[in-house]
Amino acid sequence: MEEKVLDLLEEICEDDVVREDLDINLFEEDLMDSLAFTELLVGIEENFGIVISPSEVERSDVETPNKIIALIKARS
Amino acid sequence: MSFFGSIQFFLLMILLFIPAAVLGLRGKSLRGYRTAASVLMIGLVMWPNKEQLLYLIAFYVLEFVLVKAYLKLRLAQADHRSAAIYRIFLFISILPLILCKISEVSGGFALGLFQFLGISYLTFRVAQMIIEIYDGIIKEVRWLDFTDFLLLFTTFSSGPIDRSRRYIKDGETRYTRDAYLELLGDGLLKILIGVIYKFILATLVHKGVAFFEDPQSFLEFAGYSYCYGIYMFFDFAGYSAMAIGASYILGIKVPENFNKPFISIDMKDFWNRWHMTLSFWFRDFIFSRFMMLAIKGKWFASRLTGASVGFIINMFVMGAWHGLAVNYILYGLYHGVLLALTEIYQKKSGFYKKNKKKTWYKTISWFVTLNMVMFGFLLFSGELI
């Protein structure tokens, strides 16, 4: 599952640094913006069948690869 | 008496703070008192204008019934939610605002329909609840919470725009003595900053706005734009600071509305710093949802085209929300196009990717952004067109 999330993140952020540093802050490092965030939500829904709405999570809940993995784990 | 605009309002507000502080310091819930204080304050401010007051009451009843009815329907639907029913309810919930905005410009057939102070901001709060009920995140709506959230008098007329789930959590909190003391101190400081911004700095800068009134030459237009933009900031950030501070004292940590907007280094940065609660609302409830539908439905050949359309629609609606006048619509479209161009430039340009972290680049980018922002205010002011 983790591998699949990282594949998704690498595709959306267009940078493989998301694999190397799982605690990197995606918003601060300019790897993710509002557009990429919606792509992430669609990606999570299509890959894992988990529906997360855009206003449901705070930016701080999904700011690192680790936090995103944890969120998906908690929901599946 | 007007919200944060007259001495009677401030005196009454200070009077209303006293029982709030007593309750807060003794670790009691402020919810019931706060709601009663809001009803009293709004009633007193709107009393001289009975028609507005009646429209507000009609609006409140209509929206409460809508939210309750839709929640019941939605819970019964469980995993088989109907998008059609959702859209009908969402449309009816914003219909009063649409009628109000149309009657503002048309006169004639719908003169004054649903024109009451605060409707623009109240509509966000209700629409957000309907949308999140559809999403399945809101599963319960209590009458007292709804009334407390919708009518909080400190943010009634012009925001900041809070979110119901966050608000209700704050609303229920029983603070410890220390926690409330801190809230009280922060709240008073924010009110003080707001007073300085709005009544001293904004008033001073407004002299500049008046000086450049009816500009003719390029320099006069530049002077007008800068003065008007800076005036808007101190006026609205000042109002927001007072509203936020007063809400703290009533036990609600209302989110911030401004974060040094004039240091923005690009247009996306600007909208993360200017009127934040409005721009985040549009981001979460219009832009993101449009983009998700577009991506899932493969509406556009490239993601960049989709994003550009998304930005322009998002900001067009934002402009129209200010009012159905040419200057507001243009202001919205202008920002939509700028955001789209920013997105395309940042994604496509190797020059940008190579230099974006360098100081000289950031300095130039800041200067260009600031002037684009000021030109936007000129459009907004209606002085140009």
Side-chain angles (χ1 to χ4, degrees):
Chain A
M1 192 278 290
E2 274 191 45
E3 199 49 35
K4 239 167 123 185
V5 179
L6 293 177
D7 285 343
L8 181 63
L9 273 177
E10 190 181 340
E11 193 195 321
I12 292 169
C13 304
E14 293 171 338
D15 200 325
D16 57 10
V17 68
V18 295
R19 287 179 182 283
E20 288 148 27
D21 180 359
L22 294 184
D23 288 312
I24 190 169
N25 189 314
L26 300 168
F27 291 98
E28 276 174 18
E29 294 299 319
D30 243 355
L31 291 164
M32 193 173 288
D33 54 18
S34 307
L35 176 63
F37 179 64
T38 52
E39 289 171 334
L40 175 68
L41 295 184
V42 174
I44 292 174
E45 186 174 338
E46 284 174 351
N47 285 293
F48 305 99
I50 297 164
V51 183
I52 300 170
S53 76
S55 57
E56 191 173 355
V57 287
E58 296 284 329
R59 289 292 185 269
S60 57
D61 297 331
V62 290
E63 64 193 1
T64 69
N66 267 336
K67 284 188 176 178
I68 295 169
I69 292 167
L71 179 72
I72 296 172
K73 271 188 187 152
R75 289 296 195 86
S76 42
Chain B
M1 190 157 76
S2 68
F3 289 101
F4 297 99
S6 63
I7 194 74
Q8 296 96 316
F9 175 86
F10 281 96
L11 290 176
L12 184 58
M13 185 169 75
I14 292 166
L15 220 58
L16 289 172
F17 281 162
I18 297 168
V22 172
L23 288 170
L25 288 170
R26 297 170 102 198
K28 297 270 183 349
S29 162
L30 288 144
R31 186 171 50 186
Y33 172 74
R34 182 175 53 235
T35 310
S38 288
V39 170
L40 174 75
M41 190 62 117
I42 293 166
L44 284 174
V45 172
M46 292 178 94
W47 191 251
N49 195 333
K50 306 281 189 301
E51 199 183 329
Q52 279 203 22
L53 192 57
L54 284 175
Y55 273 128
L56 168 63
I57 294 168
F59 176 86
Y60 166 82
V61 172
L62 169 74
E63 302 292 358
F64 181 65
V65 170
L66 276 178
V67 166
K68 274 297 214 187
Y70 182 57
L71 180 69
K72 201 165 172 214
L73 277 171
R74 176 66 184 88
L75 289 176
Q77 291 168 351
D79 289 336
H80 306 283
R81 59 185 187 180
S82 153
I85 293 176
Y86 156 62
R87 286 182 189 136
I88 293 167
F89 272 88
L90 186 60
F91 177 73
I92 302 173
S93 77
I94 58 175
L95 189 59
L97 179 68
I98 296 173
L99 291 175
C100 162
K101 293 287 172 190
I102 292 174
S103 77
E104 255 174 28
V105 286
S106 74
F109 80 99
L111 196 66
L113 209 56
F114 276 105
Q115 295 236 15
F116 65 88
L117 182 73
I119 183 171
S120 300
Y121 286 88
L122 299 197
T123 302
F124 283 118
R125 301 182 202 176
V126 180
Q128 172 251 302
M129 291 183 80
I130 302 264
I131 296 170
E132 292 195 340
I133 289 172
Y134 174 71
D135 284 348
I137 331 172
I138 295 179
K139 297 189 174 74
E140 185 190 18
V141 177
R142 283 172 297 191
W143 170 75
L144 184 59
D145 285 336
F146 177 86
T147 310
D148 181 19
F149 170 61
L150 191 71
L151 298 182
L152 179 70
F153 82 84
T154 47
T155 60
F156 179 81
S157 69
S158 314
I161 305 154
D162 209 343
R163 305 283 174 90
S164 62
R165 287 175 300 122
R166 199 213 67 75
Y167 183 99
I168 290 164
K169 242 186 243 162
D170 269 15
E172 292 170 337
T173 306
R174 292 161 197 271
Y175 294 97
T176 63
R177 193 185 164 80
D178 286 345
Y180 185 79
L181 260 180
E182 201 180 314
L183 213 53
L184 183 65
D186 288 350
L188 290 172
L189 184 67
K190 279 177 190 292
I191 294 175
L192 187 67
I193 293 172
V195 167
I196 294 171
Y197 272 26
K198 188 171 166 70
F199 297 113
I200 300 176
L201 297 174
T203 310
L204 273 175
V205 180
H206 196 266
K207 290 193 194 306
V209 179
F211 179 79
F212 288 112
E213 194 91 71
D214 197 19
Q216 302 295 334
S217 66
F218 174 78
L219 275 181
E220 281 176 9
F221 269 109
Y224 183 85
S225 318
Y226 268 78
C227 288
Y228 186 77
I230 296 167
Y231 162 74
M232 288 274 284
F233 169 74
F234 282 121
D235 188 66
F236 198 20
Y239 156 81
S240 298
M242 293 190 287
I244 294 166
S247 308
Y248 273 31
I249 298 174
L250 298 172
I252 305 289
K253 287 184 190 156
V254 168
E256 292 295 328
N257 231 1
F258 291 89
N259 178 20
K260 309 186 196 81
F262 296 137
I263 68 164
S264 308
I265 54 166
D266 61 49
M267 291 313 291
K268 289 200 284 183
D269 192 24
F270 175 73
W271 283 107
N272 283 329
R273 296 171 174 279
W274 176 271
H275 204 176
M276 291 145 72
T277 59
L278 177 82
S279 108
F280 295 166
W281 197 99
F282 275 92
R283 179 194 70 195
D284 288 353
F285 296 106
I286 297 188
F287 178 78
S288 297
R289 282 157 210 268
F290 173 82
M291 289 315 300
M292 288 175 76
L293 285 175
I295 296 169
K296 279 189 214 163
K298 303 195 169 55
W299 294 354
F300 302 100
S302 84
R303 56 193 256 187
L304 221 43
T305 315
S308 303
V309 176
F311 278 125
I312 292 170
I313 291 177
N314 193 58
M315 298 314 268
F316 169 76
V317 178
M318 192 272 302
W321 168 81
H322 279 95
L324 298 175
V326 183
N327 55 322
Y328 297 135
I329 307 273
L330 273 179
Y331 172 74
L333 286 174
Y334 170 74
H335 276 287
V337 170
L338 280 185
L339 285 173
L341 291 177
T342 306
E343 185 71 29
I344 294 168
Y345 166 66
Q346 294 185 348
K347 286 275 154 68
K348 292 265 178 190
S349 160
F351 175 76
Y352 169 76
K353 284 175 188 161
K354 210 169 80 193
N355 296 305
K356 66 176 177 183
K357 293 205 167 142
K358 294 180 181 154
T359 310
W360 67 264
Y361 180 83
K362 282 197 210 164
T363 312
I364 294 173
S365 185
W366 162 79
F367 184 73
V368 172
T369 304
L370 183 65
N371 284 288
M372 291 196 295
V373 164
M374 291 304 176
F375 184 75
F377 287 126
L378 183 62
L379 285 177
F380 186 86
S381 74
E383 197 72 31
L384 191 64
I385 293 162

